[in-house]
């Protein structure tokens, strides 16, 4: 009897487990139309708006924090908390007219003073994007719905920045809250459900019932799952646990498509060599434009795209993205693979007998890329010497310790890109290289009219391609995958689609 | 007995103190420019200085350590540098996941191992040889490969279990079972292989003892002799092996939790060590050291219960 009782209990437990198992499965099916479950690769460091980040982390913050301006998937700027905005003649004073019907989830009303405080805090805070507001001299709340921003100098990307983390609006009443890192208080479309959230792993949000723009909220619940491991992300996708996710690379796209997902391609980056040391500080050869051009001719970029990027991407020799005013399609073929021409240019520059280049490597790059670079450079008579930088790869590049390096870099909008890679004080111009012609064009983009900006941007792009400031190979395809129940519009210039760009397919 | 427990507890506390002190000094001394890593390579020096001050890293190491220690004894292990969560909240919410995996794997391993070991030790011959060969195989195949195979077959193809994620037992027992079964099996296979060898050896030794013959001569059934007497005698060494396995499984859980995206100690450890989130790493060190001390205490008590001679010594 005793034995059979135990057996009965065991059978009951197993049965309970199995029925519970199927019940849980059904429940998740039923919820799927109301719940959007997204896979992400990174978790936010904090929810404090003044320390927030963007790119891959944008969905975590956009769910809870509104911005002053909203960027549509194609990059155009439309009103959000700011209904309209206007620059003065010399583009140093920006006046924004704000909504008066928005409340933070703690009941605090949103007004110009709250906006001012948030912008001041972000500028002084420790967000990696704090420099977005570098041009902001003063923010002034003229009245409850009028915000006046005075810039120390015109900033063509300023409105763009106000659609990103720089203008995440957090309730001022929560600025000093000790738990703000894990309990955000914003006015966004969702509210973080802290009880159902496992910080660092899975973030659950519920619809903000009092959200001011119902048209932007397409789901009752939002779940953002973080996958630190590529295998677990792939398994979650293949088993249908995610409505959408971004992928680490393109190696698994076939498997993902076979599991019934749609691949939404986007181009964010360019891949190739950075030729930092254009003044020849560390290696005199790099000062000669012919040597830099030879480096552009030396690589079989088509083969590189096939072997490193699995053929997903487009060949290019320019660093500006296709969406940019500076983009010139003809420049994509400016340097075709031509080792003989590379050798001839090197010989002209006085390096017929060869040349040695020092490059950094890292386990992050794997072994393939340094091997391919070494081989292709060897074919034109250049010896590549790689040094393992360990975890200091980026720090060493920016230090600057190397004149040349392989890298994948983001293709931002024009002014951002200029300030990231081209301007004399740009972080990715670590040797602070200056060129009078480039500086003149950069200045025209800085202060010129819209038409002048466009013309100057095109000219600048052509100039730096001719001067071979870089040796780009291709624009790799990034992929965002969605299941059959989910539609998405990928975002120009951002790794993750914006949170309101997801809609149920039915 | 109380004195025995008290003595073990005190030595456990001392051990915890030594481990955490050494870990703290090693981690902080080798922490490098953590403020720079948090704010990113393009941040200004002023931002780096501000971040370092926010984290209290601008103070002398011993002052930082003293603050940490005095807070730690009150249960406050600080906040994560990378996600702002209280370390105690982060660690305790994850301990239950890891413990349920490791405990589940240990219990399954113990039960399965005893059955297989008794079978092999009593039957000997080809059964024993097969068990030994399979045991070697169980040892040889890495846990993560077993985990990947299990996911592929039972989660992706048959869809019996969830491929990733964790559902707390308080939310749904079935959901919990569907998320932990495969990880537990993946973890327990290597453990079974080890414990079977140990128990089998102890059983074979015990079966050769005189008292077995005596008991059999008194008319006790073979099964009764094996399950009531021989197993109890062989239990001591087996428990010691299980304890070692349990502690070893805490390490094995790191990879399995990554593969199944389970929010356990393993996942937090990988993330925190990768980022250099030292308060969290320290929290994990404290939790793991406490678990190891507790397991050793429990095993000592269990061995005392199994074998009164241990209590006397």
């Amino acid at each position: 009897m005793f034995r059979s009782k135990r057996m009965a209990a065991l059978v009951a437990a197993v049965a309970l487990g199995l029925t519970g198992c199927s019940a849980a499965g059904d429940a998740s099916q039923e919820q799927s139309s109301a719940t959007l479950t997204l896979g992400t690769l990174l978790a936010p460091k904090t929810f404090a708006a003044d320390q927030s980040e963007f790119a891959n982390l944008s969905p975590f913050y956009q769910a809870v924090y509104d911005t002053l301006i909203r960027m549509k998937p194609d990059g155009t700027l439309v009103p959000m908390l700011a209904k309209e905005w206007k620059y003065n003649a010399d583009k140093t004073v920006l006046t924004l007219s704000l909504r008066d019907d928005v409340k933070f989830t703690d009941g605090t009303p949103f007004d110009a003073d709250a906006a001012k405080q948030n912008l001041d805090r972000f500028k002084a805070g420790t967000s990696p994007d704090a420099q977005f507001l570098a041009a902001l001299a003063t923010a002034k709340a003229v009245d409850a719905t009028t915000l006046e921003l005075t810039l120390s100098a015109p900033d063509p990307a300023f409105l763009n920045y106000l659609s990103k983390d720089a203008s995440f609006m957090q309730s001022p009443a929560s600025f000093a809250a000790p738990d703000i890192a894990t309990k955000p208080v914003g006015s966004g479309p969702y509210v973080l459900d802290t009880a159902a959230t496992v910080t660092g792993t899975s973030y659950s949000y519920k619809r903000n019932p009092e959200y001011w723009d119902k048209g932007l909220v397409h789901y009752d619940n939002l779940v953002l799952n973080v996958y630190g491991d590529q295998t677990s992300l792939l398994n979650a996708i293949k088993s249908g646990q995610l409505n959408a996710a971004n992928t680490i690379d393109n190696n698994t796209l076939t498997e993902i498509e076979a599991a019934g997902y749609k691949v939404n391609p986007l181009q964010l980056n360019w891949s190739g060599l950075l030729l930092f040391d254009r003044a020849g500080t560390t290696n005199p050869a790099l000062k000669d434009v012919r040597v830099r051009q030879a480096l552009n001719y030396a690589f079989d970029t088509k083969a590189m795209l096939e072997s490193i990027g699995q053929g997903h991407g487009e060949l290019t020799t320019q660093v500006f993205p296709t969406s940019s005013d500076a983009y010139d399609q003809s420049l994509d073929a400016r340097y075709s693979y031509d080792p003989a021409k590379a050798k001839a240019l090197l010989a002209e520059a006085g390096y017929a007998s060869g040349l040695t280049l020092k490059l950094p490597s890292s386990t992050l790059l794997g072994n393939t890329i340094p091997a391919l670079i070494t081989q292709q450079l060897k074919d034109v008579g250049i010896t590549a010497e790689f040094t393992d930088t360990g975890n200091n790869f980026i720090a060493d590049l920016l230090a600057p310790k190397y004149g040349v390096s392989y890298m994948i870099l983001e293709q931002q909008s024009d002014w951002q890109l200029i300030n990231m890679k081209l301007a004399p004080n740009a972080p990715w111009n670590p040797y602070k290289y200056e060129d009078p012609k480039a500086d003149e064009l950069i200045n025209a983009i800085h202060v010129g009219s819209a038409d002048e900006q466009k013309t100057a941007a095109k000219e600048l792009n052509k100039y730096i391609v001719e001067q071979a400031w870089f040796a780009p190979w291709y624009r790799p395809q990034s992929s965002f995958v969605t299941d059959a129940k989910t539609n998405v519009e990928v975002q120009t210039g951002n790794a993750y689609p914006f949170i309101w760009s997801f809609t149920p397919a039915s | 007995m109380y004195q025995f427990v008290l003595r073990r507890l005190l030595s456990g506390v001392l051990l915890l103190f030594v481990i955490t002190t050494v870990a703290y000094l090693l981690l902080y001394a080798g922490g490098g420019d953590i403020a720079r890593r948090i704010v990113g390579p393009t941040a200004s020096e002023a931002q780096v200085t501000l971040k370092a001050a926010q984290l209290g890293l601008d103070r002398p190491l011993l002052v930082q350590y003293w603050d940490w220690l005095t807070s730690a004894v009150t249960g406050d292990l600080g906040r994560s540098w990378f996600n702002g969560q209280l370390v105690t909240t982060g660690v305790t919410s994850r301990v239950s996941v890891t413990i349920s995996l490791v405990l589940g794997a240990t219990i399954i391993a113990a039960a399965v191992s005893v059955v297989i070991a008794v079978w092999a030790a009593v039957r000997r011959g080809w059964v024993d040889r097969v068990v030994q060969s399979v045991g070697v195989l169980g040892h040889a195949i890495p846990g993560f490969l077993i985990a990947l195979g299990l996911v592929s077959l039972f989660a992706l193809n048959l869809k019996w279990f969830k491929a990733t994620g964790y559902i707390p037992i308080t939310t749904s027992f079935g959901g919990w079972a569907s998320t932990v079964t495969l990880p537990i099996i993946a973890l327990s296979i290597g453990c079974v292989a080890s414990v079977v060898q140990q128990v089998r050896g102890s059983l074979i030794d015990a079966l050769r003892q005189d008292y077995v013959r005596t008991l059999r001569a008194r008319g006790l059934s073979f099964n009764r002799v094996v399950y009531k007497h021989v197993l109890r005698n062989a239990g001591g060494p087996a428990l010691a092996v299980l304890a070692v396995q349990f502690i070893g499984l805490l390490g094995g859980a790191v990879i399995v939790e990554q593969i199944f995206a389970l929010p356990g100690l393993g996942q937090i450890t990988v993330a925190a060590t990768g980022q250099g989130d030292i308060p969290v790493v320290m929290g994990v060190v404290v939790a793991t050291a406490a678990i190891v001390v507790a397991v050793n205490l429990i095993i000592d008590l269990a061995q005392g219960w199994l074998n009164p001679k241990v209590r006397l010594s």
Side-chain angles (χ1 to χ4, degrees), chain A residues 386-405:
Chain A
F386 277 94
T387 307
D388 192 346
T389 56
N391 288 327
N392 294 329
F393 186 72
I394 305 241
D396 280 1
L397 287 188
L398 302 183
K401 291 187 181 168
Y402 296 91
V404 183
S405 175

Side-chain angles (χ1 to χ4, degrees), chain A residues 45 51 127 199 201 232 241, chain B residues 38 47 82-83 94 164 267:
Chain A
K45 288 175 193 157
Q51 295 167 45
S127 164
T199 302
T201 302
S232 61
Q241 288 181 298
Chain B
I38 294 174
Q47 274 185 293
F82 281 84
N83 60 36
R94 286 159 186 274
T164 61
Q267 203 190 42

